Amino acid sequence: MINQTSQQFLWIIRTDPELDSDVLKDLVYLLRPYPHFFLIASNYNFLIGKDSKPGGWRGGETAREILGSKIFCGDIALLRGASKHEVEQIVLETRLDSDDGLNINYLETVQKFATKAVISNMSIGEELANLEQAQHRASWMYWCAKRHVEWHYSGKLDQGQVNAIGHETYCITAGLTVAFGVGVQIDSIVKSPHHKLYSDVGHFGGCGLSRNKDCLVMVDDLSAAAIRSRTPTSAGMKNIDPIYVDPEMTKSLWNLLREDFTITDEGARYANQYIHDNLDMIALENEMGQCTEGHSCKESSKEKLRRIREDIAAQKLKT
């Protein structure tokens, strides 16, 4: 997020109010230099997830909840100003889970698209001059990553394994963005779980464009829009097992991650090593977090986590 080519955004980072104090200090140290990055003590989510709260940035619910929470860092005056002016601006909200990342060009790509495609705030003169153009603008719109990279913990002392994933008719959570035109409220948009969003928007539409499917855009301008971690830190534990990828494809993907995601070889090796060294505790904490507020609740995930811990225990007995 530090390297996004557009820095015209607020990054709201929600963390458990009971987060370990040493981890909290490290987070604040990393985030404090950036006044538009906010770390807040809150487990609430708006617009996303099965336990999400009603409301969002449009309408002020998110800002009021943030300002009523403990704010560890971030320019509060900037936050208040953004909240005050949300009624007269296009509002974009992008989802990014803590174990995912975005192409450094992603936010700028979506912002440029939104300024051309979504109803904006024009003066009366501009509105009359651009009436025909305004009729072809959407009142709201979604964007989803069409292609992304998956990073797998490898269990070996290397950078981990990477794989390229593409999807034409499915929205992943990483980078999922919704835009509200000026004057458009949350009740006006299609709201669905990410895995149903593409089909539901295509079926219901309602953004003001003649074709329902145009209300959602699969971002195709980037080689990969996002990166997702597939490791035992995942609450859903889906597709966490490494798979074989052609060496040439692997080389190409690592070059892409270095250039368009500013991921370093050293950073990838450190993350892989950290998971390797702490796998038992990671699996235990993930299992403890299953079925708690805001997290998935799958018996299959619990079983996978128990099996990881059993395998580690068996390995220790052998040595």
Side-chain angles (χ1 to χ4, degrees):
M1 299 302 285
I2 293 170
N3 293 303
Q4 285 292 317
T5 53
S6 169
Q7 289 294 312
Q8 300 301 307
F9 64 91
L10 305 183
W11 189 17
I12 311 300
I13 305 168
R14 298 175 180 276
T15 188
D16 194 308
E18 303 300 322
L19 183 67
D20 177 85
S21 59
D22 289 335
V23 176
L24 178 60
K25 288 177 184 176
D26 288 344
L27 274 174
V28 171
Y29 175 78
L30 291 170
L31 297 168
R32 196 179 293 281
Y34 308 97
H36 57 309
F37 292 1
F38 297 85
L39 181 65
I40 67 169
S42 172
N43 287 323
Y44 288 162
N45 283 315
F46 293 88
L47 284 179
I48 59 172
K50 61 183 179 67
D51 296 319
S52 62
K53 308 300 179 185
W57 192 264
R58 171 69 87 219
E61 290 295 331
T62 298
R64 283 190 289 271
E65 189 268 334
I66 293 172
L67 290 168
S69 303
K70 173 68 175 177
I71 301 176
F72 298 108
C73 62
D75 184 342
I76 296 179
L78 178 64
L79 183 72
R80 292 185 186 278
S83 175
K84 178 181 178 181
H85 294 289
E86 60 89 5
V87 295
E88 60 200 47
Q89 301 291 334
I90 297 173
V91 170
L92 291 91
E93 296 194 43
T94 298
R95 175 172 176 175
L96 184 63
D97 292 346
S98 59
D99 56 353
D100 298 332
L102 297 176
N103 186 305
I104 61 172
N105 301 290
Y106 186 77
L107 293 186
E108 182 177 14
T109 298
V110 172
Q111 288 172 355
K112 285 182 176 179
F113 199 125
T115 58
K116 295 178 181 178
V118 179
I119 295 172
S120 60
N121 191 18
M122 297 182 289
S123 68
I124 294 177
E126 289 174 317
E127 191 171 349
L128 292 173
N130 293 283
L131 183 59
E132 182 178 351
Q133 180 184 358
Q135 290 173 342
H136 296 285
R137 286 177 175 252
S139 57
W140 54 265
M141 186 172 281
Y142 280 100
W143 289 264
C144 298
K146 188 173 184 178
R147 291 175 294 274
H148 72 276
V149 177
E150 289 188 343
W151 179 81
H152 292 261
Y153 158 69
S154 68
K156 301 176 182 178
L157 304 184
D158 58 16
Q159 297 169 221
Q161 294 180 293
V162 288
N163 187 29
I165 305 292
H167 20 69
E168 299 282 342
T169 60
Y170 178 86
C171 288
I172 62 172
T173 55
L176 197 164
T177 299
V178 59
F180 299 88
V182 174
V184 178
Q185 301 301 315
I186 288 176
D187 290 344
S188 303
I189 72 170
V190 172
K191 295 186 287 292
S192 300
H194 71 94
H195 60 286
K196 296 181 179 179
L197 186 63
Y198 185 93
S199 60
D200 284 356
V201 169
H203 178 73
F204 295 109
C207 73
L209 300 179
S210 57
R211 299 190 305 178
N212 288 352
K213 68 177 185 178
D214 292 337
C215 297
L216 187 151
V217 177
M218 301 299 293
V219 177
D220 197 25
D221 297 347
L222 306 171
S223 298
I227 181 170
R228 305 182 75 190
S229 298
R230 292 305 195 187
T231 75
T233 61
S234 167
M237 294 291 289
K238 185 179 179 182
N239 300 333
I240 67 166
D241 297 322
I243 62 174
Y244 173 79
V245 181
D246 176 79
E248 285 302 312
M249 173 62 76
T250 297
K251 182 179 179 180
S252 176
L253 289 175
W254 279 112
N255 286 335
L256 171 67
L257 291 176
R258 293 182 193 104
E259 183 174 345
D260 288 354
F261 290 80
T262 62
I263 293 174
T264 65
D265 296 356
E266 180 184 11
R269 279 194 295 270
Y270 176 83
N272 198 52
Q273 176 77 54
Y274 186 89
I275 293 174
H276 177 273
D277 293 345
N278 297 277
L279 186 56
D280 189 36
M281 285 302 300
I282 288 171
L284 174 61
E285 291 189 359
N286 193 343
E287 186 178 354
M288 292 170 61
Q290 292 291 316
C291 301
T292 57
E293 184 178 4
H295 295 283
S296 62
C297 188
K298 300 177 183 176
E299 193 57 41
S300 59
S301 296
K302 295 179 184 179
E303 180 57 34
K304 287 179 182 178
L305 291 164
R306 282 193 290 266
R307 194 159 58 244
I308 288 173
R309 301 198 67 222
E310 288 170 359
D311 290 345
I312 292 172
Q315 231 12 68
K316 287 180 179 178
L317 286 176
K318 288 181 181 179
T319 57

